[in-house]
Amino acid sequence: MNISIIGSGYVGLVSGTCFAELGNKVICADNDAKKIAQLKKGNLPIYEPGLEELIKGNLKKGRLRFSTNIKEAVVNSEVIFIAVGTPPLDNGEADLTGIENVARNIAKILPGYRLIVEKSTVPVETGERVKDTIETYVKRKVKFDVASNPEFLREGTAINDFMHPDRIVIGVESKKARDTLVSLYQPLNVPIVVTNIKSAELIKHASNAFLATKISFINAVSRVCDKVGANVEEVAKGMGLDKRIGRAFLDAGIGYGGSCFPKDLDAFVTISENVGYDFELLKVARNVNEEQKRFYIKKIKDALWVLKDKNIGILGLSFKPNTDDIRSAPSLDIVKFLLQEGVKIRAYDPQAMPKFKNEINQVTFCKNSYEAAKQADCLLIITEWNEFKEIDFKRLKKQMRCALIIDGRNIYAPEVMCKLGFKYISIGRPSCK
Ligand code: UGA
């Protein structure tokens, strides 16, 4: 099929590239000329494992093109995906200016029947708005369909998630739209859930809100574990083996971050409020998440007593491993707090240091974990990158002033750390003495 994706952010870029990989002819359009110029050369604005190779390969085969010209994209495509950003407004609502702009631009160009699909995460009823907007601004009477096809890929594992999803969700209003999207996704050979547009929009917000709540639930359980000396990992394992619960997203830690869960929870709370429902459950999940960061900071204070002039090493700055994304990363709040207290920070992250430096630069950025641990009174594990799991502990310990590790991601076994001579504090697991 001839497809275009308007918006070359995370979702747009990965989806467009994967559609091309599946054999479609894809135009990825974006109004950011600098970004498009870079992408044409195969240079990526983000770090995502495997994406660069896939983009380069599909550019070479002529299946993928980048453009700043939305007209070219709309004219040459049967299906147009809208994947522009929906950033949060101050009141928690999603800013839909980008979506509205694209809808208006598509309307002005529309040369004949097109299927216009929202892929960005949007509030329920946005599909209707998109349809109304196109009907209002369309130049001459042409038929078109609007559909919703939310994306469930995760950063860090985006290509695998796109190519092997648990399900595809499509919200449609016509047989033609349904048939087009079903045949587009047929090669993935996965269950396709066909609903109306509003249900599809809600499936996305409800899924992210549920996953965030699951994380907050296990973080709340970890607090009780800490009090009584139980082990949250064993609790999660025991719970997770129940098929109705499942083990995924039951890793206790320093709370969720990223560009999706915090923003989508806010948006879903506001959407519910706007239709007259107080979604208290989500407000509590949100509070537990904030509280989890404060709880981690308290662990640092309890262990170090006075923070002023202490040296703290930090391993991991991105909101999760395998990405350079630091949007709403717990590291931002933790570092800000430590700096206010007069702590000297040395930090290392395999990918996120340039982006972190743009936000906070009063940190010494190091070239590896051992450099970050130099003369440290304490080492913090903030992101569970694989390379931190494979660290040479003897070498690490030699660098440190005190062999103290406060692990916000539970990546090491307490007994092993104890044997190695570390004082090791983690989340919801007893420290060995
Ligand atoms: C999330 C969803 O998982 C995707 O399905 C969705 O498509 C995406 O949002 C989106 O809406 O675009 P993402 O934010 O990329 O994906 O990353 P996740 O793997 O979901 O992690 C989110 C946060 O939760 C991270 O900070 C992670 O450290 C934290 N987390 C995750 C936990 O603290 N514990 C867990 O057990 C799992």
Side-chain angles (χ1 to χ4, degrees):
M1 273 184 211
N2 289 312
I3 294 173
S4 61
I5 318 269
I6 318 289
S8 294
Y10 228 103
V11 168
L13 204 51
V14 175
S15 309
T17 308
C18 290
F19 279 136
E21 182 67 14
L22 291 172
N24 301 289
K25 281 199 100 176
V26 180
I27 302 176
C28 284
D30 199 292
N31 57 10
D32 183 339
K34 210 169 135 196
K35 190 197 266 184
I36 291 296
Q38 291 291 317
L39 284 166
K40 278 183 175 169
K41 290 186 216 151
N43 296 333
L44 265 62
I46 49 167
Y47 171 76
E48 177 63 36
L51 186 58
E52 191 171 326
E53 295 83 326
L54 221 55
I55 288 182
K56 283 186 173 150
N58 282 288
L59 279 172
K60 221 174 179 180
K61 286 178 191 135
R63 290 195 296 235
L64 181 63
R65 267 195 298 146
F66 291 102
S67 173
T68 48
N69 187 342
I70 183 168
K71 188 169 180 186
E72 183 192 353
V74 173
V75 169
N76 292 301
S77 311
E78 301 147 62
V79 189
I80 303 151
F81 285 90
I82 305 179
V84 294
T86 52
L89 292 166
D90 287 343
N91 64 359
E93 278 179 32
D95 183 352
L96 299 175
T97 317
I99 303 261
E100 201 248 8
N101 250 319
V102 172
R104 266 197 288 156
N105 285 330
I106 292 175
K108 284 183 215 152
I109 300 160
L110 220 55
Y113 177 85
R114 295 290 183 274
L115 170 57
I116 296 130
V117 189
E118 31 170 54
K119 207 162 203 19
S120 315
T121 302
V122 289
V124 61
E125 298 182 328
T126 301
E128 262 176 29
R129 296 290 191 164
V130 168
K131 200 170 144 194
D132 291 347
T133 305
I134 296 176
E135 266 161 8
T136 308
Y137 289 94
V138 78
K139 284 263 165 69
R140 57 194 171 89
K141 232 182 153 30
V142 275
K143 283 202 170 139
F144 68 93
D145 269 313
V146 169
S148 163
N149 169 224
E151 183 49 57
F152 299 97
L153 61 82
R154 289 162 296 177
E155 294 187 17
T157 50
I159 292 163
N160 190 61
D161 288 347
F162 187 94
M163 293 298 200
H164 308 282
D166 290 340
R167 80 311 200 180
I168 298 290
V169 173
I170 56 181
V172 283
E173 281 181 339
S174 78
K175 185 175 178 304
K176 192 170 182 179
R178 174 204 168 111
D179 291 349
T180 306
L181 286 175
V182 166
S183 76
L184 179 63
Y185 281 109
Q186 208 73 61
L188 295 184
N189 201 18
V190 295
I192 299 180
V193 180
V194 182
T195 69
N196 63 28
I197 295 178
K198 287 181 192 173
S199 299
E201 290 167 336
L202 270 176
I203 288 171
K204 173 67 191 189
H205 264 134
S207 300
N208 272 6
F210 186 84
L211 289 169
T213 306
K214 204 174 174 191
I215 299 169
S216 279
F217 184 88
I218 200 66
N219 280 334
V221 172
S222 83
R223 303 290 299 274
V224 181
C225 287
D226 253 346
K227 297 257 185 225
V228 300
N231 184 328
V232 72
E233 274 187 347
E234 289 169 2
V235 176
K237 186 178 173 192
M239 287 170 63
L241 283 170
D242 185 328
K243 288 195 187 68
R244 294 170 302 172
I245 298 174
R247 175 63 184 81
F249 280 66
L250 282 182
D251 289 322
I254 43 177
Y256 57 76
S259 66
C260 302
F261 286 172
K263 157 178 97 79
D264 290 352
L265 234 69
D266 284 349
F268 203 23
V269 166
T270 315
I271 292 163
S272 309
E273 245 159 40
N274 289 346
V275 295
Y277 177 66
D278 182 5
F279 213 144
E280 281 180 281
L281 178 65
L282 297 187
K283 291 182 185 167
V284 174
R286 201 164 57 179
N287 288 344
V288 169
N289 197 56
E290 284 311 302
E291 173 60 21
Q292 198 68 7
K293 282 178 265 184
R294 290 196 288 273
F295 169 61
Y296 183 64
I297 285 168
K298 186 171 179 306
K299 278 184 184 264
I300 304 169
K301 273 172 102 170
D302 285 350
L304 289 176
W305 187 27
V306 173
L307 292 178
K308 194 168 185 315
D309 293 331
K310 291 269 162 69
N311 295 333
I312 292 190
I314 293 187
L315 301 190
L317 298 168
S318 55
F319 83 98
K320 62 178 284 188
N322 299 320
T323 177
D324 60 350
D325 199 342
I326 56 151
R327 286 176 288 176
S328 298
S331 62
L332 291 166
D333 290 339
I334 293 164
V335 167
K336 272 182 209 153
F337 169 81
L338 294 174
L339 288 172
Q340 267 166 21
E341 294 286 313
V343 169
K344 292 183 199 121
I345 301 178
R346 297 172 69 81
Y348 167 67
D349 185 287
Q351 293 293 338
M353 291 193 290
K355 285 190 177 159
F356 195 90
K357 203 174 187 174
N358 289 336
E359 298 290 321
I360 301 175
N361 63 9
Q362 307 98 297
V363 167
T364 306
F365 294 96
C366 302
K367 64 176 194 295
N368 58 39
S369 305
Y370 309 100
E371 288 286 316
K374 229 177 208 167
Q375 286 303 306
D377 297 291
C378 167
L379 190 68
L380 309 181
I381 312 288
I382 303 286
T383 319
E384 66 278 31
W385 285 89
N386 269 342
E387 70 169 85
F388 303 152
K389 297 178 185 166
E390 290 150 10
I391 220 154
D392 175 346
F393 288 108
K394 274 196 186 137
R395 187 172 160 202
L396 189 79
K397 203 168 154 213
K398 267 193 205 142
Q399 305 291 321
M400 298 177 70
R401 193 145 73 181
C402 305
L404 168 63
I405 295 183
I406 307 183
D407 180 358
R409 300 290 187 173
N410 287 353
I411 64 174
Y412 306 127
E415 359 17 293
V416 174
M417 299 309 285
C418 214
K419 275 196 193 119
L420 288 163
F422 284 92
K423 182 172 182 201
Y424 177 67
I425 297 165
S426 56
I427 308 287
R429 302 185 304 172
S431 314
C432 68
K433 298 266 163 8

